[in-house]
Amino acid sequence: MNKKTVRDIDLKGKRVFCRVDFNVPMKDGKVTDDTRIRAALPTINYLVEQGAKVILASHLGRPKGQVVEELRLNAVAERLQQHLGKDVAKADEAFGENVQKQIADMNEGDVLVLENVRFYPGEEKNDAELAKSFAELADVYVNDAFGAAHRAHASTEGIAHHLPAVAGILMEKELDVLGKALSNPERPFTAIIGGAKVKDKIGVIDHLLDKVDNLIIGGGLAYTFIKARGYEVGKSLLEEDKIDLAKSFMEKAKANNVNFYMPVDVVVGDDFSNDANTQIVPIENIPSDWEGLDAGPKTREIYADVIKNSKLVIWNGPMGVFELDTFANGTKAVAEALAESTDTYSVIGGGDSAAAAEKFKLADKMNHISTGGGASLEFMEGKELPGVVALNDK
Ligand SMILES: Nc1ncnc2c1ncn2[C@@H]1O[C@H](COP(=O)(O)OP(=O)(O)OP(=O)(O)O)[C@@H](O)[C@H]1O
Ligand SMILES: O=C(O)[C@H](O)COP(=O)(O)O
C-alpha cells in the first residue's frame, strides 16, 4: 500500500481522531453482530499502547442529519468497552466545546467514543466547516473505516485535509488483501457473483471479467442470464432491461478466455417461504408459475469443483435466498467448498455473503471476510475510494 499507516507516525501523547466503521446491526437497543467492532480492535489497541488519546468516530445507520435516539453510539461504546477490557468514555456530541473539554481531561491511552457523526447534516455533504470542527479535536487523523471508505464524507474524507492522515491496521489489511487479489492474483482466480440484481453488480462483473480465469454467476441475478441464453424463467427475478447486458458479459467472457459458469439447474418454489413446495428443474424447464430461488444440485457440484480447483476465490452475493433454509443449499455449498478447500485463498466481499458464512458457522474457515459491503464492491469495480485517496502518501 502506498499510504502511510499508524506505524509511520509518532502517536505518543497525541490526540488521535480515529474514524471507524461501527455501523453494526442493532435490535432493541442491542448490538446483534459486533464483527465490525472486533475488527477495529487491533488499531484501537495499537493506539492505546502507543500512548495516544484515542477519539473514535463512526456513523450508525442513516439518520439523515438529525438526532435519532435509537442510533446513538452508547450500546456500541459499551460493547467496545467489554472487548477492550478498559473504560471507554462516550460523548453525546461529535464536536464542539463540551467534547473539547472531555478530550482535554483525557490521559494517554484513554478511549472516547464520539456521538454518531451522521446526526449532523454536514457529514454526508462533506461540509468543510464540519470537517474543520472534527479536525480541531485532534492532532492526527487515522482512517480505519474501510466499510465507509467509498463515502466522501466530512469524517472520512474532509478531515484528512486538515491533519496528518494515515490508515489504520484494518484499513491496511483490507486494501492489501483486496488490492493483491486484483493486481497480482494467484491463479486460477475465480469470482463468484450472486445476490439479487444485475443492476448492482454491473461494474464488478465488467471489471472482474478483465481479471479472472473463472466467473461464476448465481442468485437472483442469474435468471437474467438464463433468459439471455433464451430460456424462460417463470416468476423468477428478471431484469428485462439488462438482458442485452447479460449477453454482452457472456461475449466478453468468451473474448477474454474467461470460463463462464451459470446455473444448469435450479430449485424453484411456488411461494417465497420456507413452507413452499419445491422442484429441481434444469434451466431449460423452469415452469411458468414457479420462482427460481436457489441453485440446483448439479450446479452446486460444478461450482464446488471450480472452487476447489482455484487458488484464489472472491465471493460476493448469495447463490439463493439463503435466509430461508429451504433455499439455502446453493449458498451453503459454495461456503462449504471454500471452507474445505485449504489450498484456496477465500475472500468474502462483505454484506450478505459474510452473513451467510456466519449463518453456516463457516466464517472462521474463510481467509478474509471484508468488513465492507459497498466499499469492497466499489474497490472490486476498480474505483478509487475517497477515504483512502485522501490519506497521506508514503
Ligand atoms: N433467486 C433469488 N430470488 C430472489 N432473491 C434472491 C435470490 N437469490 C438471492 N436472493 C436474495 O438476494 C439478497 C442479496 O442480494 P444483494 O445483491 O443485496 O447481495 P450482496 O451483494 O451480498 O449484498 P450487500 O449489498 O449486503 O453486500 C439476499 O437477501 C437473497 O435472499
Ligand atoms: O454498512 C456499510 O456498508 C457502511 O457502513 C456504509 O454505510 P452506508 O451505506 O450507510 O454509507
Side-chain angles (χ1 to χ4, degrees):
M1 198 180 64
N2 63 346
K3 294 293 178 182
K4 283 193 179 159
T5 78
V6 281
R7 289 189 207 86
D8 298 316
I9 193 162
D10 180 26
L11 296 160
K12 176 123 178 89
K14 299 274 166 63
R15 297 168 302 161
V16 175
F17 186 106
C18 179
R19 178 59 157 96
V20 287
D21 186 357
F22 284 167
N23 185 28
V24 291
M26 307 268 299
K27 203 171 175 214
D28 303 327
K30 295 216 164 68
V31 176
T32 54
D33 177 355
D34 64 4
T35 306
R36 281 178 165 172
I37 298 175
R38 286 185 282 112
L41 292 175
T43 298
I44 300 171
N45 278 321
Y46 182 81
L47 296 175
V48 168
E49 283 159 19
Q50 296 295 309
K53 297 172 185 172
V54 187
I55 305 156
L56 298 172
S58 178
H59 72 286
L60 175 62
R62 293 177 173 169
K64 302 207 170 88
Q66 287 175 0
V67 175
V68 174
E69 287 303 323
E70 305 83 75
L71 295 177
R72 287 194 181 276
L73 282 167
N74 296 47
V76 169
E78 273 168 38
R79 183 64 69 93
L80 174 65
Q81 177 163 300
Q82 288 163 11
H83 283 300
L84 282 179
K86 64 185 273 138
D87 280 352
V88 171
K90 164 77 195 2
D92 292 330
E93 295 155 294
F95 67 92
E97 237 175 80
N98 293 335
V99 181
Q100 295 270 17
K101 274 190 203 136
Q102 256 177 298
I103 293 172
D105 288 340
M106 285 173 83
N107 292 314
E108 290 182 9
D110 281 355
V111 180
L112 171 71
V113 174
L114 300 178
E115 192 49 276
N116 191 339
V117 288
R118 285 196 188 166
F119 283 178
Y120 306 93
E123 166 64 5
E124 290 180 75
K125 294 191 188 118
N126 200 1
D127 178 71
E129 283 307 311
L130 182 61
K132 245 192 243 162
S133 303
F134 287 149
E136 277 165 11
L137 302 177
D139 308 302
V140 171
Y141 174 67
V142 172
N143 193 351
D144 207 31
F146 175 73
H150 58 317
R151 308 289 184 212
H153 293 172
S155 70
T156 60
E157 203 275 343
I159 182 176
H161 300 289
H162 300 284
L163 293 171
V166 301
I169 294 166
L170 172 65
M171 177 72 92
E172 182 187 25
K173 183 174 175 219
E174 293 269 17
L175 295 173
D176 276 353
V177 171
L178 295 172
K180 183 167 174 283
L182 294 183
S183 63
N184 186 19
E186 283 211 63
R187 296 186 181 278
F189 173 23
T190 298
I192 307 172
I193 304 295
K197 297 200 178 121
V198 179
K199 146 170 116 35
D200 299 333
K201 305 287 160 87
I202 296 171
V204 76
I205 294 174
D206 193 36
H207 190 64
L208 287 174
L209 275 171
D210 291 324
K211 309 266 174 196
V212 298
D213 302 296
N214 306 304
L215 177 68
I216 290 178
I217 294 287
L221 58 88
Y223 297 89
T224 300
F225 285 84
I226 292 173
K227 180 78 180 181
R229 276 269 157 90
Y231 305 119
E232 292 307 319
V233 297
K235 288 192 169 153
S236 315
L237 273 182
L238 174 66
E239 290 157 273
E240 296 273 1
D241 61 334
K242 296 289 176 291
I243 296 172
D244 284 342
L245 181 72
K247 277 186 196 153
S248 75
F249 282 148
M250 291 191 271
E251 280 158 17
K252 182 170 177 179
K254 209 170 182 186
N256 286 3
N257 277 326
V258 172
N259 301 309
F260 180 86
Y261 297 91
M262 58 189 254
V264 295
D265 59 351
V266 295
V267 180
V268 294
D270 61 355
D271 189 31
F272 196 93
S273 79
N274 263 327
D275 305 323
N277 293 305
T278 63
Q279 300 182 50
I280 294 160
V281 295
I283 56 165
E284 297 86 350
N285 292 327
I286 298 177
S288 61
D289 48 356
W290 292 60
E291 181 176 3
L293 294 168
D294 197 9
K298 281 201 186 111
T299 305
R300 288 175 226 156
E301 233 173 82
I302 295 168
Y303 289 7
D305 245 24
V306 176
I307 291 168
K308 287 179 180 165
N309 288 311
S310 300
K311 280 272 185 281
L312 170 67
V313 176
I314 288 186
W315 177 26
N316 180 284
M319 297 291 100
V321 186
F322 75 101
E323 299 92 336
L324 300 174
D325 288 346
T326 308
F327 302 106
N329 289 325
T331 307
K332 193 173 182 192
V334 162
E336 280 174 348
L338 286 170
E340 283 161 18
S341 182
T342 48
D343 226 20
T344 307
Y345 192 88
S346 49
V347 179
I348 315 279
D352 280 299
S353 328
E358 286 284 346
K359 175 179 163 122
F360 305 128
K361 306 215 175 334
L362 294 170
D364 61 338
K365 298 264 173 29
M366 304 300 160
N367 294 96
H368 181 76
I369 299 188
S370 176
T371 51
S376 67
L377 207 57
E378 289 202 18
F379 191 85
M380 288 191 278
E381 286 173 17
K383 288 189 186 155
E384 298 217 82
L385 306 179
V388 178
V389 175
L391 300 177
N392 300 154
D393 291 332
K394 263 203 171 133

